[in-house]
């Protein structure tokens, strides 16, 4: 399917956008951005030059994906969530050479109004609660909440909370899909399908 771009959107020449991606009202995609297939960029989204967006990524209204951010496949960015790329910004000091890379791994969810401080990696299927502030790396499947965010649980690939301790060992089954998860020494993995 073709890319659908709303007439109010600005897509700079050179931007790469995959098939069946929708670019909605007042979006700006910079010239060197790379966006995969089946993505949705909501109203008032900005995508910088040094940005890589995988397939089936949903970016809700009012999100700016600044340079040095990578979003892998199946990532969800909630309304008005925030990425940064400079750790210690000052208006009078140019720090473009100091951008810190942020990577959001496959299947992760970032809730509305959450802030992701640059230089962090969000693990596969991590779930960041609305309004949380992430200032360090997040484990795969971790449920994070608060300011600054701390882990309060584990989430399945389907987005269901798993009945597991934060540390140690255990097993749980996703109530929606039946997929089994194993916690071993504080690391959660899903069984192979």
């Amino acid at each position: 399917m073709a890319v659908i771009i709303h007439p109010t959107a600005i897509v700079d020449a050179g931007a790469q956008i995959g098939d069946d991606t929708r670019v909605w009202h007042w979006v700006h995609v910079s010239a060197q951005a790379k966006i995969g297939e089946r993505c949705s960029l909501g109203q008032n989204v900005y995508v910088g030059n040094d940005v890589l967006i995988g397939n089936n990524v949903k970016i809700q209204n009012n999100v700016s994906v600044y340079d040095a951010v990578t979003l892998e496949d199946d990532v969800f960015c909630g309304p008005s969530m925030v990425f940064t790329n400079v750790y210690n910004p000052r208006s009078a000091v140019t720090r473009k050479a100091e951008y810190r890379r942020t990577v959001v791994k496959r299947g992760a969810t970032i809730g509305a109004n959450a802030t992701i401080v640059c230089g962090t990696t969000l693990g596969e299927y991590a779930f960041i609660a609305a309004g949380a502030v992430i200032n360090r790396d997040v484990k795969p499947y971790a449920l994070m909440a608060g300011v600054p965010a701390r882990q309060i649980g584990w989430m399945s690939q389907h987005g269901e909370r798993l009945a597991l301790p934060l540390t140690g060992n255990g097993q749980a089954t996703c109530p929606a899909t039946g997929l089994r998860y194993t916690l071993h020494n504080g690391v959660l993995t899903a069984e192979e399908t």
Side-chain angles (χ1 to χ4, degrees):
M1 279 184 89
V3 175
I4 297 173
I5 300 173
H6 191 272
T8 61
I10 299 169
V11 177
D12 292 342
Q16 298 176 30
I17 301 177
D19 290 342
D20 201 22
T21 289
R22 296 172 182 258
V23 179
W24 293 106
H25 304 71
W26 302 295
V27 169
H28 180 190
V29 178
S30 298
Q32 296 171 29
K34 294 178 179 71
I35 300 169
E37 299 176 354
R38 300 178 314 283
C39 294
S40 176
L41 280 60
Q43 180 174 301
N44 199 36
V45 165
Y46 168 76
V47 180
N49 279 301
D50 182 16
V51 170
L52 179 60
I53 297 174
N55 297 322
N56 198 43
V57 172
K58 306 294 188 272
I59 303 174
Q60 301 298 299
N61 295 355
N62 306 312
V63 174
S64 292
V65 186
Y66 295 120
D67 285 348
V69 173
T70 297
L71 307 177
E72 292 187 354
D73 295 349
D74 303 319
V75 166
F76 178 89
C77 296
S80 301
M81 61 79 42
V82 175
F83 289 106
T84 67
N85 58 11
V86 175
Y87 191 76
N88 55 338
R90 291 286 197 199
S91 179
V93 180
T94 300
R95 292 199 163 113
K96 289 186 178 185
E98 299 174 25
Y99 287 171
R100 295 186 183 183
R101 300 208 74 78
T102 298
V103 178
V104 182
K105 296 284 194 172
R106 180 187 182 115
T109 291
I110 304 170
N113 293 304
T115 298
I116 310 302
V117 176
C118 60
T120 55
T121 297
L122 280 60
E124 292 85 355
Y125 302 101
F127 198 101
I128 311 305
V133 175
I134 299 298
N135 62 359
R136 63 184 180 273
D137 290 349
V138 175
K139 293 179 184 180
Y141 302 101
L143 171 59
M144 306 290 289
V147 178
R150 62 181 181 82
Q151 186 177 358
I152 62 169
W154 300 99
M155 296 290 272
S156 74
Q157 292 178 15
H158 193 73
E160 300 290 331
R161 193 156 182 183
L162 298 170
L164 288 167
L166 293 180
T167 60
N169 302 307
Q171 288 190 328
T173 300
C174 175
T177 66
L179 185 63
R180 293 192 50 79
Y181 294 83
T182 300
L183 181 66
H184 181 70
N185 293 330
V187 176
L188 189 67
T189 56
E191 71 179 15
E192 297 295 322
T193 55

